[in-house]
Amino acid sequence: MNEKEIIIEIDKIKSGKANIISFYRKNRLIDRAPLKLKDKSDTYNYQHRHHFDGDDLEKISAKQSSVSPYDGQGKINVWADETKSSLQQLILDGKFNRVFTKGNTKYNIKLVWVSGE
């Protein structure tokens, strides 16, 4: 079996609106599996490219309680800052890393936080 390591560097996380999260590297949206961009989110009325919407945040919350969708309580900026910080910590802790097999190849996907350059 072949093995392939894929490293995705991230240096910024942004929130475009309540329950919308995007990952960046050098001020460019990352568009590489597993961080493929969504074109829009009808449910959350967001018509721009992004990575996670509220539905994704709910799924993440089921496994990582430090991340949750905005529930309308409290200030949106506080929620956004806390969510971005929690996602950054999950990346630093390796909790978004994945290993999967496709065909005859085993893929080791690592998301890596890169401090500002």
Side-chain angles (χ1 to χ4, degrees):
M1 175 164 298
N2 300 319
E3 289 194 28
K4 185 172 183 180
E5 182 175 70
I6 298 173
I7 296 174
I8 299 175
E9 295 179 338
I10 301 167
D11 63 10
K12 188 172 286 188
I13 302 171
K14 294 183 182 180
S15 175
K17 184 179 174 177
N19 293 316
I20 301 295
I21 300 290
S22 299
F23 297 90
Y24 289 79
R25 176 72 173 123
K26 295 184 178 181
N27 288 321
R28 297 184 77 185
L29 280 164
I30 297 167
D31 192 18
R32 183 174 184 192
L35 290 178
K36 295 297 288 177
L37 288 167
K38 295 181 179 186
D39 288 329
K40 62 182 180 174
S41 177
D42 291 330
T43 306
Y44 295 91
N45 194 28
Y46 193 71
Q47 306 305 314
H48 304 280
R49 298 181 79 187
H50 63 283
H51 292 100
F52 296 154
D53 60 22
D55 296 332
D56 300 311
L57 296 173
E58 277 187 37
K59 291 175 188 172
I60 293 169
S61 180
K63 294 183 179 182
Q64 301 293 332
S65 62
S66 64
V67 175
S68 61
Y70 180 63
D71 61 6
Q73 304 296 312
K75 294 185 178 188
I76 185 75
N77 291 342
V78 172
W79 168 84
D81 290 344
E82 288 173 354
T83 299
K84 292 185 287 187
S85 179
S86 292
L87 289 167
Q88 180 181 355
Q89 190 60 52
L90 292 172
I91 292 166
L92 288 167
D93 292 345
K95 301 231 174 154
F96 278 130
N97 295 346
R98 295 289 174 260
V99 176
F100 70 94
T101 302
K102 185 175 180 181
N104 195 31
T105 304
K106 179 179 175 182
Y107 292 91
N108 186 2
I109 311 292
K110 291 184 180 179
L111 277 61
V112 177
W113 187 263
V114 180
S115 298
E117 297 175 346

